[in-house]
Amino acid sequence: MFRNYLITAYKVLLRRKFFSFVNIFGIALTLAVITVVIAMLQNVVQPLGAEARAENYLGVRDLMITNEEQTSTSSWAIGYRFLETQVMPLETPDRIAFFAEPREGTVFVRGQKVSPRVVRANHEYWNVLAFDFRDGRPFANDEVSSASRVAVINEAMQVALFDGNPAVGKRFDLDGMTFEVIGVVANEPETRLDAFGEIWIPYTATATDGWRKNWIGPFSALLYAEDRDRLPVIRDEFTARLETFVHDDPEEWSIAKATANSKLEALAREFLDRRFAEDSRVGLFFGAVFAAMVAFMFLPTINLINLNVSRILERAGEIGVRKAFGASTRTLVGQFLVENLVLSFVGGILGVILGFALLAFIESTGMIAYAQFQFDVGTVLAAFAMIVVFAVLSGLYPALRMARMHPVGALRRG
Amino acid sequence: MLKHLTKLIWNRKGENALVLVELVTAFLVIFFVAATISYSLWLYKQPLGYDWEDTWELRIAIGNSEWQESDSETLRRVLNTLKGQPAIEWAHVVRLGPFRGWNWTSTVAYEGREFIPMWNTMTDGAPQDLGMTLLEGRWFGPEDAGRIDDPILINERLARRMFGDASPLGQDIRQRGEDEERDDPALTVIGVFSDFRQRGDLHQMTDYVLGRHELEDPEQSVYSLLVRLEPGTALTYEEALVDVLSQTAPDWRFVVTPLSRIRADHLREQSMPLYIGGTIAAFLVIMVAFGLFGVLWQNVTRRTDELGLRRAVGATRERIYRQIVLEMTLLALFAAIIGTIVGIQFPMLGTFRPLDWRSSGLGIGAATLIVSGLCVVCALYPARLAAKRPPAEALHYE
């Protein structure tokens, strides 16, 4: 039975090559765009590259301090004072990494300016994130506490600063301070917010240490657990500890709001602008993304419905015969949906290939620094789920119309 | 003729309704993209209100900490060093430099009406050196030091919205929350300038207030400076400049960027959504074109009996051809009318600023042209097919 459907579908596909081409072309273009969107989302959320252990940590990125009347509010990333009093004393995390958000530095190489993004981090940063060291080693705890002028650079910086020659042991001047390279790591794309950087230095290696006094500051913390089932416990401890927050100026700043999030929760919060709300509403986020995709597919769907309706009317004879021999409405609808699914899958496969070609193009333009979109099974599966939605949406109305055709009229027309 | 065609379309309303939905959707997509692009082009063509050539932005990071009172001494030293450089024409504090997308707003009230302009402060002489245009009144200068009220300049847009045709000069306005009765210093308008589009070429026009940056006030923090170079200064001068500055202010870090580069980045970043939107819209239009072509072709083959009858009773090929093309044009016009009714809501409600009357008009025009053009082009070949069919074959059909 199913095999018959497939054969018919194949025959129909070959019958009017132009229309089949139009159908497949439309589906492929639509799916290509959707593949690109899904791949980009995956790339931000999935534990890839140096963020391979992302499912074992929660990130604390944003902090808002305010008071009961909200007469003053201030928000940005967390400051060093907050790290000291609210984050480092936490007992449940196995490791606590923290790092400052990337900041543009200046290095001159033979009179040419290079502007690397510089990240200041603690030594646990290297244990929580899984950087691929091509050479050398990360900086250690004693190097951080002694504010050593040591740096880990990525491969792109190895090329930019040292023409790709072995860099470990060499020195360079960053914003007027001399650093020694102790390690070289693989490039990490800009979309990996926890791992992105071009040069990493100990967070203590600064000219002055005014940052030690700030509550609001450039840092993010990663709370790591060997056993990921313990993450909820860590979250509870972090939230509970916020109650103990006491600012130096307790009148003006009595309340601190911050949340510990997985990468997906962080993205949902960012997207829905709920950075400091109690729950992250991941479901709502997925709903919004899905709705946006369906809205985008509206025009292609109507287009396909139109084409399908006229293609079906052309097959009046065949349908008339099948009805005359007792095929039920449900069978006919089923048959047409299968045909449409086959068509959609052919278009969908082309679309996914086209989508990955587009992603490769985006990588090559350098629009997103060090972007590398893997051919990811999840992306392909999600794209195919969208194909099924698409096929059912564009096939249902024409199929119902076909099934409602009067057999006598249909036969006469053939 | 027209009435008859309308009737023909109505008779086959089932199929035509679906085509119409498709056309209206395509119309709205084109309308939206075309209107946004035309709005951006219009913004790009408006004068910025200042010169950015040969100018560098000097961003300051103060040892990763907050501004201290001692930093104002350092700032004066830095400015003097800069002014002493032969390659530098001038150096000024401009609190929020251009093309950065930085935003500082604060509500002001005048006679009970509130406005939310953007704010900025500059040192004396900066507006003149930046080539800004004064329309009324005067720029601030050293004579304004030590005043109790705050002298401000406002842009033409805010002046017109706040004071209408009356002269804004000497008017006192207040920041929100400051009572007339209280002795808070008022803001006194001392001049009106044409505009200072700080966020760049592709950002919307805003109300703007310019205050005087007092170098003498140790609490006024500074995070960026602008310097104008003598024309023809090489980019390599940057390294030497950073070197000199690091000696003058060892605690500060400097990031030097030419405004031309910040502007190029700004333009690229702001126009990226337009390129993406435009490309997707173009893909959708191509897809719709193919789809329409297919639907029309099928429709024409299925109307063989009707068209055959017309041929048999004496209609020429020419007339059949015309009928099909006209039917399609009419359908496109219906779609355009519905699309226009929907599209016109945006400027009428005024909720979305890029869709003002001008850009909406252009968007509707572009969408009408493209959608009807599409319909006519897609109808040409099927219409020829229909016209070519011999009447005998057509009648034989039943």
Side-chain angles (χ1 to χ4, degrees):
Chain A
M1 188 66 165
F2 192 69
R3 198 169 147 258
N4 273 343
Y5 287 174
L6 288 184
I7 292 170
T8 323
Y10 179 66
K11 286 275 150 65
V12 172
L13 197 68
L14 290 185
R15 195 187 303 154
R16 287 275 195 162
K17 294 203 183 60
F18 174 73
F19 294 120
S20 303
F21 162 73
V22 171
N23 266 358
I24 290 172
F25 175 77
I27 297 167
L29 278 184
T30 315
L31 260 300
V33 172
I34 285 178
T35 309
V36 171
V37 173
I38 295 175
M40 294 227 173
L41 279 178
Q42 290 268 14
N43 203 57
V44 179
V45 173
Q46 288 259 311
L48 298 167
E51 294 180 355
R53 296 194 276 261
E55 283 169 353
N56 284 51
Y57 65 72
L58 296 173
V60 183
R61 197 166 273 282
D62 301 295
L63 170 67
M64 175 163 88
I65 53 176
T66 180
N67 52 33
E68 302 284 351
E69 291 81 34
Q70 300 208 328
T71 45
S72 324
T73 57
S74 179
S75 69
W76 186 25
I78 58 185
Y80 189 73
R81 289 277 280 144
F82 186 84
L83 273 175
E84 259 182 339
T85 59
Q86 299 296 133
V87 180
M88 298 317 282
L90 291 178
E91 281 162 6
T92 43
D94 294 320
R95 297 173 190 281
I96 298 174
F98 63 86
F99 60 98
E101 68 182 38
R103 199 160 186 169
E104 194 180 303
T106 304
V107 181
F108 287 99
V109 182
R110 291 184 296 272
Q112 289 292 313
K113 185 167 96 157
V114 182
S115 308
R117 259 77 54 96
V118 182
V119 174
R120 291 157 52 212
N122 71 346
H123 75 284
E124 288 285 19
Y125 181 80
W126 303 106
N127 298 324
V128 170
L129 295 165
F131 278 93
D132 177 9
F133 271 84
R134 297 292 159 93
D135 198 4
R137 57 174 183 90
F139 42 78
N141 194 10
D142 55 325
E143 281 166 317
V144 174
S145 31
S146 63
S148 302
R149 305 276 168 91
V150 291
V152 173
I153 63 175
N154 72 354
E155 286 181 306
M157 281 301 124
Q158 186 179 17
V159 172
L161 304 181
F162 305 106
D163 300 322
N165 296 321
V168 172
K170 294 207 177 120
R171 287 163 193 281
F172 64 97
D173 285 338
L174 172 68
D175 299 322
M177 294 196 286
T178 306
F179 284 87
E180 182 189 335
V181 178
I182 57 166
V184 179
V185 293
N187 298 334
E188 289 292 326
E190 210 171 2
T191 46
R192 291 186 197 144
L193 297 178
D194 299 331
F196 175 70
E198 291 172 313
I199 292 180
W200 292 263
I201 58 174
Y203 73 94
T204 45
T206 53
T208 54
D209 54 5
W211 48 269
R212 286 183 191 275
K213 299 194 300 270
N214 297 344
W215 286 92
I216 296 278
F219 293 103
S220 296
L222 306 177
L223 314 177
Y224 175 84
E226 294 290 345
D227 174 9
R228 70 181 62 149
D229 295 337
R230 285 193 34 241
L231 290 180
V233 182
I234 295 180
R235 190 193 310 255
D236 289 344
E237 194 199 354
F238 175 75
T239 315
R241 204 182 159 81
L242 277 181
E243 300 293 322
T244 68
F245 170 78
V246 183
H247 194 276
D248 314 321
D249 183 358
E251 298 275 296
E252 178 127 17
W253 310 108
S254 53
I255 301 170
K257 288 186 182 175
T259 50
N261 299 299
S262 69
K263 289 181 72 67
L264 178 60
E265 287 165 340
L267 181 67
R269 280 180 188 278
E270 180 88 6
F271 184 84
L272 300 171
D273 203 16
R274 297 172 57 83
R275 240 155 273 170
F276 304 108
E278 274 179 23
D279 48 348
S280 53
R281 303 289 282 275
V282 171
L284 184 67
F285 168 69
F286 276 123
V289 170
F290 186 74
M293 284 188 188
V294 171
F296 166 71
M297 290 196 306
F298 182 71
L299 189 53
T301 309
I302 296 273
N303 193 32
L304 268 191
I305 290 178
N306 272 327
L307 262 177
N308 283 337
V309 166
S310 23
R311 292 193 81 174
I312 280 177
L313 294 176
E314 205 182 40
R315 292 165 62 188
E318 173 199 338
I319 294 157
V321 171
R322 292 213 56 199
K323 287 207 103 171
F325 280 89
S328 70
T329 302
R330 186 183 292 181
T331 323
L332 283 173
V333 169
Q335 177 187 345
F336 191 75
L337 280 183
V338 169
E339 278 176 27
N340 204 44
L341 266 173
V342 170
L343 201 69
S344 300
F345 267 94
V346 175
I349 290 164
L350 287 177
V352 171
I353 293 170
L354 191 64
F356 277 97
L358 268 175
L359 286 172
F361 172 73
I362 293 174
E363 273 175 33
S364 69
T365 57
M367 229 151 47
I368 302 169
Y370 314 122
Q372 37 189 228
F373 299 101
Q374 270 104 345
F375 188 83
D376 177 62
V377 183
T379 306
V380 177
L381 284 182
F384 272 87
M386 290 313 279
I387 294 176
V388 174
V389 174
F390 193 52
V392 171
L393 282 180
S394 65
L396 207 58
Y397 174 75
L400 283 172
R401 230 180 120 164
M402 163 174 91
R404 263 192 274 127
M405 233 183 246
H406 206 275
V408 178
L411 275 177
R412 202 173 57 127
R413 281 193 151 226
Chain B
M1 177 75 176
L2 212 62
K3 206 174 147 193
H4 182 64
L5 281 178
T6 317
K7 197 171 172 184
L8 280 178
I9 292 175
W10 179 250
N11 283 343
R12 306 192 310 112
K13 52 186 173 296
E15 284 140 48
N16 283 333
L18 270 175
V19 175
L20 200 61
V21 170
E22 178 169 355
L23 289 179
V24 171
T25 318
F27 183 96
L28 288 177
V29 170
I30 298 169
F31 160 75
F32 219 78
V33 171
T36 319
I37 289 177
S38 87
Y39 182 69
S40 298
L41 282 177
W42 178 80
L43 282 179
Y44 183 71
K45 276 193 294 190
Q46 301 309 302
L48 278 171
Y50 54 92
D51 311 324
W52 49 267
E53 288 92 349
D54 296 317
T55 310
W56 286 0
E57 179 206 77
L58 258 165
R59 223 147 19 106
I60 303 166
I62 302 156
N64 290 307
S65 75
E66 279 165 20
W67 181 266
Q68 326 256 314
E69 293 199 0
S70 60
D71 283 314
S72 65
E73 184 53 43
T74 318
L75 173 67
R76 274 193 288 267
R77 238 176 22 238
V78 166
L79 280 174
N80 281 334
T81 311
L82 287 170
K83 281 171 186 158
Q85 296 286 312
I88 289 176
E89 211 169 284
W90 52 253
H92 285 296
V93 172
V94 174
R95 196 148 198 255
L96 307 183
F99 305 119
R100 281 288 185 191
W102 287 330
N103 205 352
W104 168 23
T105 58
S106 176
T107 310
V108 292
Y110 176 70
E111 291 182 344
R113 287 178 306 143
E114 292 193 343
F115 299 86
I116 314 175
M118 289 181 60
W119 288 66
N120 204 348
T121 57
M122 296 181 187
T123 38
D124 295 337
Q128 294 93 312
D129 283 342
L130 275 166
M132 291 167 61
T133 316
L134 186 71
L135 299 177
E136 249 183 283
R138 62 176 181 86
W139 298 114
F140 35 70
E143 67 270 30
D144 291 312
R147 274 171 76 147
I148 305 164
D149 57 344
D150 279 332
I152 55 166
L153 284 125
I154 58 178
N155 71 345
E156 198 185 359
R157 182 187 150 98
L158 180 62
R160 197 161 295 151
R161 291 194 343 127
M162 225 174 197
F163 303 104
D165 292 331
S167 170
L169 294 187
Q171 297 280 8
D172 284 359
I173 54 181
R174 305 235 153 213
Q175 271 173 289
R176 193 173 60 181
E178 290 173 357
D179 277 317
E180 294 280 333
E181 290 85 49
R182 274 167 51 195
D183 286 337
D184 286 330
L187 304 163
T188 311
V189 181
I190 59 165
V192 179
F193 58 96
S194 61
D195 208 351
F196 182 71
R197 295 175 62 202
Q198 172 217 321
R199 285 189 294 172
D201 303 76
L202 291 180
H203 272 288
Q204 295 179 354
M205 304 296 169
T206 51
D207 298 332
Y208 212 89
V209 175
L210 199 58
R212 177 171 179 269
H213 188 95
E214 289 194 46
L215 287 172
E216 305 79 27
D217 181 354
E219 282 182 9
Q220 292 224 29
S221 56
V222 171
Y223 298 100
S224 91
L225 307 174
L226 289 185
V227 295
R228 169 75 45 88
L229 300 154
E230 294 294 342
T233 308
L235 276 174
T236 43
Y237 173 59
E238 197 181 322
E239 186 173 3
L241 180 62
V242 171
D243 232 39
V244 172
L245 288 175
S246 304
Q247 283 161 27
T248 318
D251 288 355
W252 289 11
R253 270 166 9 103
F254 296 91
V255 179
V256 181
T257 327
L259 283 190
S260 56
R261 207 168 73 219
I262 309 178
R263 179 168 178 265
D265 285 348
H266 153 79
L267 288 179
R268 207 186 50 221
E269 207 171 285
Q270 292 293 316
S271 52
M272 193 60 74
L274 297 179
Y275 285 123
I276 295 172
T279 316
I280 290 180
F283 274 138
L284 286 176
V285 166
I286 293 172
M287 214 151 70
V288 167
F290 275 121
L292 270 187
F293 185 71
V295 170
L296 280 179
W297 189 343
Q298 305 267 21
N299 282 355
V300 164
T301 15
R302 285 189 310 107
R303 286 168 69 188
T304 316
D305 40 358
E306 173 199 340
L307 299 175
L309 194 63
R310 279 204 71 198
R311 287 296 307 277
V313 296
T316 57
R317 284 181 172 194
E318 177 69 12
R319 303 214 51 161
I320 300 284
Y321 185 74
R322 259 209 337 237
Q323 180 195 344
I324 303 283
V325 174
L326 273 178
E327 264 185 48
M328 227 26 232
T329 317
L330 214 55
L331 207 58
L333 286 182
F334 283 147
I337 290 169
I338 299 173
T340 305
I341 292 171
V342 177
I344 211 108
Q345 305 298 319
F346 289 100
M348 262 165 64
L349 297 172
T351 42
F352 190 47
R353 248 173 88 188
L355 296 181
D356 55 12
W357 284 107
R358 211 190 43 82
S359 52
S360 296
L362 279 168
I364 287 171
T368 310
L369 271 179
I370 294 178
V371 168
S372 26
L374 212 68
C375 284
V376 172
V377 169
C378 292
L380 288 181
Y381 181 70
R384 173 151 307 142
L385 269 187
K388 262 205 307 218
R389 192 158 297 174
E393 181 196 307
L395 278 178
H396 181 68
Y397 186 82
E398 279 290 313

